[in-house]
Amino acid sequence: MPPSADFLFTNARVFCADADQPDAEAVGVKGKRIVFVGGNREANDWRGAGTRVIDGQGRTLLPGFIDCHYHLLGGSTTLDDIHLENVTNYDGMLAALLDYAAGHPQANWLAGYGLRYNLGPGGAPLQRQHIDAAIAKRPLIIFAYDYHTAWANTLALQQAGLAQGGECGLNSAIVLDEHGLATGELREDGAYDPIVRLLPEPDAERKRLLLKKGLELAAQVGVTSVHNMDGDAEQAALYASLEAEGELTARVYVPYSVTPQTPLEALEQEALALKKRYASGMVRGGSVKLFMDGVIESYTGLLLEDYADLPGCRGAANYAVEHFERLVAEADRLGLQVCVHSVGDLGVRRVLDACQAAQHANGRHDSRHRVEHIEVVHPADLPRFASLGVIASMQPVHAPPRGDCGDVWLERVGPGRWPFSFAWQNLRAAGARLVFGSDWPVASQNPLLGLAATQTRQAWQADMPDQRQALGEALLAYTRQAAFAEFQEAHKGQLKAGYLADMVLLSEDILNTQPEDLAAVRPWVTMVDGRVVYQG
């Protein structure tokens, strides 16, 4: 008889994500590891006096969701601020601002997050006077849902010295009116950073509490690992301190954030040091994160051809080609995985070019470099992902819905680029390895919403390619393939004996749930490292 399991999940519809054993009925856990995957009858051998048995009742049990694009600390520290994700018009925005301000009379500065574009009166671009109508006597900045544009009231602009514009660097803009005064719209961090520097920072205790709140939200939606897309030694140390106290309830892959000002030698002195210092089961370094471009919504995404609604504009790159290729080649030489934000088709091409140049410089090896987002891709670049071994890291919820949804993205790129926009299936058919995530807090971290999007997406035009995914493939993009994307495929992402006990038991059998009902499915039990971290 085998030793008794600590936990035994039985009577479940188990999606193992294991090519050798795709499904099962029961899973046993001992300590931090899975010790048994098989049928209900065999599971009885693992049952002992101290075994906690969880009856799956025919629900789906699967590996814990691995979110491949996340901002854990950044999203967590905004949780007590103004949230505008559900606001759909100008009046709703005013009401939300006034309600928050009334409930926080002692806050000297106010910050809001999650706003859609063009939420001024009648759907016009938002300006400082529109925000002043709600709050004029306290400085206020509101960030777009993508964090690439912000809008400030007059007082915030004045206190930051931006009322009449100013220098803000490449691919950033302080939008001015015909009188040379700031309208309140600030594109990219080079424009809004002077205001951000004035925002009060939560102290260490408050930051820790907010981070734990963010971790609780992740556990509630079944997220057991995140690939963080910003990071440094200070952030990694914070996660490690939670791990040491047994309070870290999701595994975190922490990158080293690289900017155009980062010296080349910092990759070895700081990024490589981060990889060597943090290599536990819960907190790991090993990657670098760069931004090639901005976003389509603010015309800062880098395109091969003009924006459809702004002739003469193709966006801009954050790096000169030679500079970017030097950084990628050096990271590659050091054995660091490179993850690059790139939304535009020219931006995507430049990342692929840099990966190809790194292979020529350093030889081909198991680098698993990644392009993050890939909102638009040129068809000629589709096969290059497979040929170069570059991973396509995408976020299903980002694709705009069909119909008149007020989303400016569709008009910016224009119908001519729609067939190769958010081109999940085109990339998969070309042999690319797809992994999925959310980009929280840019979008909801709920992976069930992402799965629903992969099943229910409708083409924007009748003659466009169908980008929907098979449910099994979408699940693998959140589990086994996601583990591969962080070099952890031998440890997690599958329900398999010897693997880490990260798993989620859902409220339904999603393998027999209609696509339109997937968004309503919820986790019932979330387990990380052999511990139940959430039970609904």
Side-chain angles (χ1 to χ4, degrees):
M1 291 286 291
S4 60
D6 297 329
F7 290 89
L8 203 57
F9 293 84
T10 62
N11 301 317
R13 182 79 184 275
V14 183
F15 179 87
C16 300
D18 177 1
D20 297 325
Q21 185 178 4
D23 50 54
E25 295 175 312
V27 175
V29 174
K30 183 76 174 176
K32 299 180 179 182
R33 300 277 173 176
I34 296 168
V35 292
F36 166 78
V37 179
N40 287 322
R41 180 175 299 177
E42 297 85 355
N44 286 325
D45 294 339
W46 293 88
R47 192 187 300 249
T51 302
R52 179 179 172 187
V53 179
I54 299 176
D55 186 348
Q57 301 177 23
R59 300 175 169 104
T60 296
L61 177 69
L62 71 158
F65 290 108
I66 302 172
D67 191 309
C68 291
H69 195 113
Y70 212 83
H71 299 276
L72 178 55
L73 182 61
S76 297
T77 54
T78 72
L79 289 172
D80 283 351
D81 291 311
I82 309 169
H83 280 271
L84 303 163
E85 289 86 354
N86 297 322
V87 169
T88 58
N89 55 53
Y90 175 64
D91 290 339
M93 182 197 75
L94 292 184
L97 295 177
L98 287 167
D99 182 64
Y100 184 90
H104 298 79
Q106 305 304 317
N108 294 323
W109 270 86
L110 299 175
Y113 299 89
L115 195 67
R116 303 184 190 193
Y117 284 76
N118 288 1
L119 273 198
L126 190 63
Q127 298 190 15
R128 57 184 170 83
Q129 296 92 338
H130 303 145
I131 305 174
D132 290 344
I135 299 172
K137 295 184 178 180
R138 282 191 276 176
L140 166 64
I141 184 169
I142 304 171
F143 293 88
Y145 60 83
D146 57 20
Y147 286 70
H148 285 264
T149 297
W151 298 271
N153 68 0
T154 301
L155 186 56
L157 292 166
Q158 291 172 342
Q159 291 197 10
L162 302 178
Q164 294 178 309
E167 295 295 324
C168 56
L170 183 67
N171 212 18
S172 298
I174 302 167
V175 180
L176 304 177
D177 64 18
E178 65 273 19
H179 306 296
L181 299 176
T183 68
E185 181 176 347
L186 307 166
R187 298 177 182 173
E188 299 294 338
D189 54 3
Y192 60 66
D193 267 355
I195 294 180
V196 171
R197 287 193 287 269
L198 298 177
L199 293 175
E201 272 275 328
D203 61 26
E205 181 181 0
R206 187 67 194 153
K207 185 180 290 187
R208 194 180 189 87
L209 288 172
L210 288 168
L211 177 56
K212 290 168 68 174
K213 186 176 179 180
L215 287 164
E216 289 172 3
L217 293 175
Q220 289 171 17
V221 294
V223 172
T224 59
S225 291
V226 299
H227 299 178
N228 220 49
M229 283 294 138
D230 60 272
D232 53 26
E234 181 181 357
Q235 196 173 146
L238 177 56
Y239 300 137
S241 70
L242 286 179
E243 178 188 8
E245 296 176 13
E247 296 180 331
L248 187 63
T249 54
R251 303 181 194 277
V252 190
Y253 185 34
V254 187
Y256 176 79
S257 294
V258 176
T259 72
Q261 291 74 43
T262 300
L264 194 67
E265 55 270 20
L267 296 179
E268 184 167 5
Q269 295 171 359
E270 299 180 34
L272 189 59
L274 196 70
K275 178 179 180 178
K276 292 177 178 178
R277 181 171 182 180
Y278 297 99
S280 75
M282 297 297 295
V283 183
R284 296 173 45 253
S287 64
V288 295
K289 167 69 184 304
L290 303 89
F291 281 80
M292 168 55 67
D293 59 1
V295 293
I296 298 297
E297 289 86 345
S298 60
Y299 303 104
T300 54
L302 184 61
L303 297 177
L304 285 160
E305 303 294 340
D306 292 357
Y307 278 81
D309 62 345
L310 190 60
C313 176
R314 297 185 180 184
N318 293 325
Y319 297 85
V321 171
E322 297 79 7
H323 182 199
F324 182 74
E325 291 190 352
R326 280 197 302 271
L327 287 167
V328 171
E330 177 65 1
D332 180 78
R333 184 186 71 82
L334 294 169
L336 295 165
Q337 185 183 38
V338 178
C339 307
V340 187
H341 165 117
S342 190
V343 305
D345 49 10
L346 180 53
V348 171
R349 178 169 292 178
R350 288 192 180 177
V351 179
L352 294 171
D353 288 347
C355 292
Q356 185 171 337
Q359 287 187 8
H360 289 160
N362 303 322
R364 184 164 186 141
H365 59 100
D366 189 15
S367 56
R368 306 188 195 183
H369 300 321
R370 299 163 46 160
V371 187
E372 307 291 328
H373 305 310
I374 319 171
E375 294 186 358
V376 186
V377 62
H378 191 278
D381 290 318
L382 291 170
R384 299 182 68 199
F385 282 85
S387 65
L388 293 169
V390 173
I391 294 169
S393 174
M394 305 180 78
Q395 301 75 45
V397 176
H398 284 199
R402 183 176 178 177
D404 184 14
C405 60
D407 195 309
V408 300
W409 195 95
L410 293 169
E411 65 188 62
R412 297 278 193 271
V413 299
R417 280 180 284 237
W418 288 356
F420 295 97
S421 296
F422 300 95
W424 311 324
Q425 192 57 30
N426 295 102
L427 281 158
R428 191 182 293 283
R433 188 186 298 267
L434 263 68
V435 298
F436 288 150
S438 67
D439 202 9
W440 187 74
V442 170
S444 169
Q445 72 271 65
N446 185 353
L448 276 306
L449 296 182
L451 284 174
T454 69
Q455 305 302 294
T456 61
R457 179 177 169 186
Q458 294 183 317
W460 302 311
Q461 289 184 158
D463 59 347
M464 280 183 54
D466 185 355
Q467 303 292 352
R468 287 177 296 177
Q469 303 285 283
L471 180 59
E473 291 178 334
L475 286 170
L476 291 177
Y478 279 108
T479 55
R480 189 175 78 206
Q481 301 288 17
F484 178 91
E486 57 165 316
F487 297 89
Q488 292 294 291
E489 71 275 14
H491 305 285
K492 63 180 182 179
Q494 301 176 57
L495 299 184
K496 188 173 185 176
Y499 274 54
L500 292 166
D502 297 355
M503 62 191 81
V504 57
L505 179 63
L506 299 175
S507 61
E508 310 290 337
D509 173 12
I510 61 168
L511 302 175
N512 283 308
T513 298
Q514 293 300 311
E516 60 271 19
D517 297 328
L518 278 172
V521 176
R522 295 290 182 267
W524 193 33
V525 176
T526 303
M527 174 177 281
V528 177
D529 217 29
R531 291 189 297 151
V532 172
V533 297
Y534 171 76
Q535 185 159 4

